[in-house]
Amino acid sequence: MKDRDGIVGHFTLPAQKGMDDTVKMLCEKWGVDAIRDSDGTKLSDTIMNLGYDVYSTICLIRADQEWANANPEQCQQKYLMSFPLTCVDDAKLKIKILKGYSHEQFRIDEQHDPKKYWEVIDRTTGDVVDPQYWHYLEKDREVVVDHPVRWHVYTVNFLVYQIWESTSMYNYITNNWTGAHHKGIDPRLPETREHLLEFLDQWLKSHPNTDVVRFTSLFYQFPLIKNEARENMFLDWCGFMDPMSALAMDEFEQEMGYRLHSEDIVDMGYYNAAYRIPSKEFRDWIDFVQRFVRSYAQQCVDLVHAAGKKALFFFCDHWIGTEPYRAGFEEIGFDGVAGPCLSGVELRRISDVPGDSFKEIRLYPYFFPVNLQDEPVFVEDGDPVQECKKWWKGIRRALLRRCIDRIGFGGYLELAAQYPQFLDYVEHLADEFRTVLARTKKTMPHSVSKKVALLDVWGWSRAWMHNDNWPEGHIPECLSGLQADVTFISFDDIRQRGIDADIGVIINWGIANSAWSGGQNWIDEDVVVKLRQWIYNGGGFIGIEEPTAHEYQGRFFQLSDVLGVQKEVGNTLCWSKNFRPELSKAHYILADSGDEIDLGVTESQVYLSSETAELLAGTPEDVLLSTNTFGKGRSVYMADYKHNGENTRLFFRAVLWVGQMENEIMTWLSSNPHTDSAYYPEVKQFVVMNNSDEHQQTTVYNGTGKATQVSLAPMEMLWFKLEEINQRCS
Amino acid sequence: MKDRDGIVGHFTLPAQKGMDDTVKMLCEKWGVDAIRDSDGTKLSDTIMNLGYDVYSTICLIRADQEWANANPEQCQQKYLMSFPLTCVDDAKLKIKILKGYSHEQFRIDEQHDPKKYWEVIDRTTGDVVDPQYWHYLEKDREVVVDHPVRWHVYTVNFLVYQIWESTSMYNYITNNWTGAHHKGIDPRLPETREHLLEFLDQWLKSHPNTDVVRFTSLFYQFPLIKNEARENMFLDWCGFMDPMSALAMDEFEQEMGYRLHSEDIVDMGYYNAAYRIPSKEFRDWIDFVQRFVRSYAQQCVDLVHAAGKKALFFFCDHWIGTEPYRAGFEEIGFDGVAGPCLSGVELRRISDVPGDSFKEIRLYPYFFPVNLQDEPVFVEDGDPVQECKKWWKGIRRALLRRCIDRIGFGGYLELAAQYPQFLDYVEHLADEFRTVLARTKKTMPHSVSKKVALLDVWGWSRAWMHNDNWPEGHIPECLSGLQADVTFISFDDIRQRGIDADIGVIINWGIANSAWSGGQNWIDEDVVVKLRQWIYNGGGFIGIEEPTAHEYQGRFFQLSDVLGVQKEVGNTLCWSKNFRPELSKAHYILADSGDEIDLGVTESQVYLSSETAELLAGTPEDVLLSTNTFGKGRSVYMADYKHNGENTRLFFRAVLWVGQMENEIMTWLSSNPHTDSAYYPEVKQFVVMNNSDEHQQTTVYNGTGKATQVSLAPMEMLWFKLEEINQRCS
């Protein structure tokens, strides 16, 4: 193994059968200390005997296809809603319920009594049709409604078996796999539950060389629903559709004392996606699923431990029911948590998982021909170095805030091996990562003095679960690398225990009536009273997009008194918007910004509604950025947020200003917004790094506010001991 | 009088004292046949005796200021809502209720028992505070709430006297008038009612030379609320706030059998503006006011008639309670209706008023230094010719659809007299108008075979009442000059009598949950059933902006099955939008459009939701223009509409396409979108005109689809007899 000043390892290589020499070469070059089989590949004995830790991947619910094929009624199930159909004549209404959905992926459940488990709903009135007035015709796969109301719209909530497991389907389609479609079976069914424990026991015995069992992952995937053209139709990374089954409906009733309606899960076809405000019934369903998943996962982990191996949880794919940020996750007993990582949010999603388990990220690009966006990577016209670097930039920023233990890659090694420049870049990247680990010793960096809390419906239970491809991911991405302790709170937290004393800034963001913005929570007097009191007494509040929004009693933004702005949603068109201050160009928040503030939108229909509000960007009737005061507290409104270096700095300044921590900025700061810095007091290490592909000059400030100039090559990371940086700072 | 081939008159001149020569000159130049005094001026006997008809203006409610000043309790009243105040400490909450409102305009009503007429509302809970827990402190003009809930928001609905009449206030401010502020008194009060009839009787006797009494107008103005800086704060041209008083509250109860709450009028501070969906109570209030206004107006008109004079109703300012488009207006007995006119909509607002009364428009510019937008006109840097022409263009288009009887101007003649080019232009304009009148003899022009109906909450009762300065005015403006019979229908019309057989196209437009779009009317099964049935059987439907929108049962656009599109409002982010047809560039609707379609927006968040939908502009996830079919019916979706020549043509084609009247286009059409044309079958006259300031070439089609080329000078209007145009068409 190459000498790297004592820093090697912490790297998991996806090995591949028939590439033993490449594997050996890369183990040396990349400082690998663990190798693993990828999903769908098996390693040679030669590789297994190289002396490295061996990770073996297992996806229990599709591991024994022979058994699954012999027991198709053990497949996982799901509620689907037929697409709305308008009744246009007086005849019986015939609804081809699976129309539009992939027939390769789903088969209508004809085992369980439709009258018990399905619902036909008149979507014009919202009424559930009495089961005596409809029936299911197996031969035509149709629901027939006997006396439909002409011109009303009907849907059917029905159970399906998922006959092609989602990840398997993805791999087949992406990599042109052939052969039988893999099925996923449901451990809630007693036969499957028993079979899988036996299978795992056998599997452990037949894998004597395996050190780490990599569960990839547990039992229920987030929903990924395809149409007949095999295109994604619905994808919710936090969705709770897949643990459903006829048995789950019955067991839920036994356990909870009331029966769910299919509509509680189907949610009018919105499928309770993460941005939807959950009902009590849906929250109960989440809890019910989690109790089962954790209990059964614990049995599996116990088996692994009994075999003298470690258990690693791949925090993706079949992760539903685990929810690492909800109390109780640690009891499952995983030794490690690994996850794919495209961003700072995804880094923090892994690194912040509570507990002592080791944390590993799987970097991108996946060694597949194309990336998740179907763009070329390991094929002609592909540029795997760029593809790697663009994600690493964001990840590295968050890494400085909370480090993980290991990195790795996935996919087909043979693809990567053809790109020597990529192999060199990964060597560099791995060393960079191990330097962070070695220098920081995973200690926590300096943060500003008050905590920053993101307020939404989910709070800590879905910390860092935001989809960074969506608009709501930009704020968490910004926070993932900010020099601040970040926490996540829910409206229920505020109701139940108020606002923790260490929190100095609360952020609320997102579109009106979403789980992010909060919807009807904003007309709960308990919530608004506690927040107003907290802000009035000195708290800081940042509202982004449609914060505190729910139309009620003459207000759309319920905390317009705090924010000093209101949104025109069509109720105040006759009102002139009379507060017309000059632009406050010299505000603290704007000190590092240029003349043009680009937060991602040019219009907001948000107007100033208070004479104390200051306008920082936009116009009085199209506010893009504004501030206000409320008692001793402060607030900032932003029409949107687009993540980049300039806006990160602007946002950081907004945090400091509302949190009344303005004086803390010149502490361990790197002035150039295209750079980042961090100081680790426990180990007395300081780092400054360039997030861009250009050379950057920056002024860095030490802990006493003294400064020095630093010059950084593209993407360069510079480390200083405390005495070194203090010496340089004049 | 100058000879104009026998066409003179139909023109009302605002005369001015001390300008007798100018008046005489302009009467000749402009073909004047009536002169009038303006608001605030009195004419000389010389002018009165010139032999022309004499219009004398009277605004009864402010005509006798001596009496008004002696009886200040006779002033009109209004409910205002104090601006929301957050309770921030445990002490009693003191609300300065008039804060923010003009103290020149309003005085708090201290005559009537606040506990009976006012309401203090906790806007955090929506609860009305028990009157025993608050009181009004006259000396501080404050409402004191005894036990406010800390951090709740409070407002007070309270009665004021309006001590400065709105139009008077406008004139003072605009023209720097000085002197005592005029008051407006309330004829609902018996003393005022009696006094005004006596006053009118005397006035009629003292105006022997007056031929036409021009009521300018009746009793209650649309609300125009000013702030302390004399700026407009609230203006609703259809608003019903001003007829309110303590007595009105009591009489309403007597007449209707139940008592209104102040909140029924205050509407959370939204003041029931025209875009708000009215409650039953507010509709009752409208009816109640109308009954009174009409009854008392009839007494006034009877007096005028008894004096041998004519009564002219100025359809602006104090018009509330008349509503000419509601049944019963004609019973008041007006001989004429006059209104200010800035657009096609305002022309039709006058010309379509039911009944035999003569119709007169007051053109712009008003002979004031500045226009309504405070831009210079009759001062340095002003260009009164352009100011006149820009409005005349739009008016003239609508004039071809429904002509009026008379035109006129208003303001200070001395200002206009200083601009000879303006005097020349008005001479030309007046001749143009009189030519239309003479050629068409007020007969109706050719229209396409099916009627076009605009569907909203108000329907015919507020026909042409749209504010053309607002976005929702663009569609009515387009319709005002379209070669189609236009009608206005309400959701109640559909509920009560279905859809009239002569209607071929229904348009629904506006932002969600407005009175225009319709809000909860779209979840009334009666409405959607009747509309679906009508469209399915061949009806045409055009939806603009957020048509049929009200979130319910999994749909935002309730008629998405008809429209083939749906809007992303945050509930379907996890759903891929899979319908991705090619742009249908060759569609009938686009035949006269260039490559760029600009309907006023570039984004819509509207996506295609049906495989039968065709995309005409935008993208599948940001539809700007699309079509769909539903049974035998057709629909068009437009993300917005911006009024101009190109879009008018596009809209006309959309009307023809959804109405299945495609073959009717080459009938009496002028091909160039910057031109308009009309054919009058009863008098066999055809006109083609240029709406632009450039020369235009156009192809015109006669009744059999034969064509000829026409060349038009800027703004030129060319008339042909039927045989002339048929001869030219090959």
Side-chain angles (χ1 to χ4, degrees), chain B residues 551-566:
Chain B
E551 180 63 34
Y552 184 63
Q553 285 292 314
R555 292 188 304 286
F556 184 66
F557 289 171
Q558 287 298 315
L559 291 193
S560 58
D561 53 344
V562 169
L563 290 163
V565 295
Q566 189 51 275

Side-chain angles (χ1 to χ4, degrees), chain A residues 379-403:
Chain A
V379 282
E380 214 178 337
D381 297 331
D383 183 346
V385 173
Q386 260 319 110
E387 183 73 15
C388 190
K389 217 185 245 183
K390 78 175 175 196
W391 306 121
W392 181 239
K393 266 181 212 172
I395 295 165
R396 211 178 57 163
R397 208 182 136 248
L399 196 70
L400 293 190
R401 300 299 309 158
R402 188 97 187 230
C403 198

Side-chain angles (χ1 to χ4, degrees), chain A residues 86 123 125 151-152 231-233 270 275-276 525 532 551-553 561 571 573-576 578, chain B residues 86 123 125 151-152 231-233 269-270 275-276 525 532 551-553 561 571 573-574 576 578:
Chain A
T86 307
R123 295 293 179 184
T125 61
W151 312 112
H152 283 214
E231 297 164 331
N232 280 357
M233 201 154 61
Y270 296 147
Y275 43 74
R276 297 271 301 160
E525 57 176 315
R532 280 208 181 93
E551 180 63 34
Y552 184 64
Q553 283 294 314
D561 53 345
N571 288 318
L573 296 165
C574 281
W575 282 91
S576 296
N578 288 94
Chain B
T86 307
R123 295 293 178 182
T125 61
W151 312 114
H152 282 214
E231 297 164 330
N232 280 357
M233 200 154 59
Y270 296 148
Y275 43 74
R276 297 272 300 161
E525 55 176 317
R532 281 207 181 94
E551 180 63 34
Y552 184 63
Q553 285 292 314
D561 53 344
N571 289 318
L573 296 165
C574 282
S576 296
N578 289 94

Side-chain angles (χ1 to χ4, degrees), chain A residues 223-269:
Chain A
L224 179 52
I225 300 174
K226 300 269 186 181
N227 65 13
E228 298 190 45
R230 293 182 165 190
E231 297 164 331
N232 280 357
M233 201 154 61
F234 181 86
L235 190 165
D236 174 18
W237 199 74
C238 293
F240 261 73
M241 296 174 76
D242 286 36
M244 180 46 76
S245 63
L247 182 60
M249 288 292 276
D250 297 339
E251 290 190 351
F252 181 95
E253 185 178 9
Q254 283 174 333
E255 197 172 315
M256 302 298 295
Y258 74 95
R259 193 168 176 83
L260 285 176
H261 292 268
S262 65
E263 183 67 358
D264 294 325
I265 304 301
V266 164
D267 180 28
M268 306 180 286

Side-chain angles (χ1 to χ4, degrees), chain B residues 88-341:
Chain B
V88 297
D89 55 34
D90 284 329
K92 290 174 195 285
L93 183 68
K94 295 177 179 179
I95 307 174
K96 289 233 178 279
I97 53 178
L98 202 57
K99 187 176 177 224
Y101 291 101
S102 166
H103 287 60
E104 294 179 300
Q105 192 178 17
F106 304 112
R107 199 187 68 212
I108 297 167
D109 173 5
E110 295 171 345
Q111 321 285 119
H112 300 96
D113 181 10
K115 305 271 174 139
K116 180 173 178 190
Y117 295 98
W118 302 9
E119 284 174 304
V120 178
I121 298 182
D122 178 340
R123 295 293 178 182
T124 300
T125 61
D127 295 335
V128 176
V129 177
D130 188 325
Q132 68 175 298
Y133 296 123
W134 61 265
H135 60 279
Y136 173 64
L137 252 189
E138 288 197 13
K139 79 174 167 58
D140 298 321
R141 293 180 185 164
E142 283 177 353
V143 161
V144 181
V145 185
D146 295 334
H147 308 293
V149 184
R150 207 170 171 187
W151 312 114
H152 282 214
V153 174
Y154 290 84
T155 63
V156 182
N157 299 337
F158 60 105
L159 276 175
V160 292
Y161 284 107
Q162 179 153 345
I163 54 175
W164 194 358
E165 191 273 333
S166 303
T167 303
S168 157
M169 196 172 184
Y170 169 77
N171 283 330
Y172 268 66
I173 295 169
T174 308
N175 298 309
N176 303 310
W177 286 3
T178 53
H181 297 170
H182 286 185
K183 291 187 171 62
I185 51 178
D186 183 358
R188 182 174 291 280
L189 304 176
E191 302 88 331
T192 292
R193 198 155 64 238
E194 196 177 334
H195 174 72
L196 290 186
L197 287 177
E198 278 165 24
F199 180 89
L200 178 59
D201 199 46
Q202 282 304 314
W203 186 92
L204 288 166
K205 285 174 185 146
S206 64
H207 286 70
N209 295 328
T210 295
D211 302 287
V212 178
V213 179
R214 185 177 181 275
F215 285 97
T216 178
S217 10
L218 293 174
F219 319 122
Y220 302 114
Q221 186 166 344
F222 59 88
L224 178 52
I225 299 174
K226 300 268 186 184
N227 65 13
E228 298 190 45
R230 293 183 166 189
E231 297 164 330
N232 280 357
M233 200 154 59
F234 182 87
L235 189 165
D236 174 17
W237 198 73
C238 293
F240 261 74
M241 296 173 74
D242 286 35
M244 179 48 75
S245 63
L247 181 60
M249 287 292 276
D250 298 340
E251 290 190 348
F252 181 95
E253 185 178 9
Q254 285 174 331
E255 196 170 317
M256 303 298 296
Y258 74 96
R259 193 166 176 84
L260 285 177
H261 292 267
S262 66
E263 183 67 357
D264 294 326
I265 303 301
V266 164
D267 180 27
M268 307 180 285
Y270 296 148
Y271 290 151
N272 283 303
Y275 43 74
R276 297 272 300 161
I277 296 176
S279 63
K280 183 206 165 278
E281 291 75 14
F282 186 66
R283 285 180 186 269
D284 283 349
W285 167 248
I286 291 179
D287 291 342
F288 169 79
V289 169
Q290 283 180 342
R291 282 192 295 272
F292 170 73
V293 168
R294 287 180 176 183
S295 146
Y296 189 58
Q298 202 174 343
Q299 292 182 54
C300 297
V301 171
D302 286 350
L303 277 185
V304 172
H305 287 165
K309 303 180 195 298
K310 286 183 177 171
L312 171 65
F313 170 60
F314 181 62
F315 184 3
C316 191
D317 293 353
H318 304 80
W319 72 284
I320 297 302
T322 60
E323 278 65 44
Y325 289 91
R326 296 194 63 165
F329 172 75
E330 295 173 57
E331 288 158 25
I332 302 175
F334 284 116
D335 303 283
V337 174
C341 193

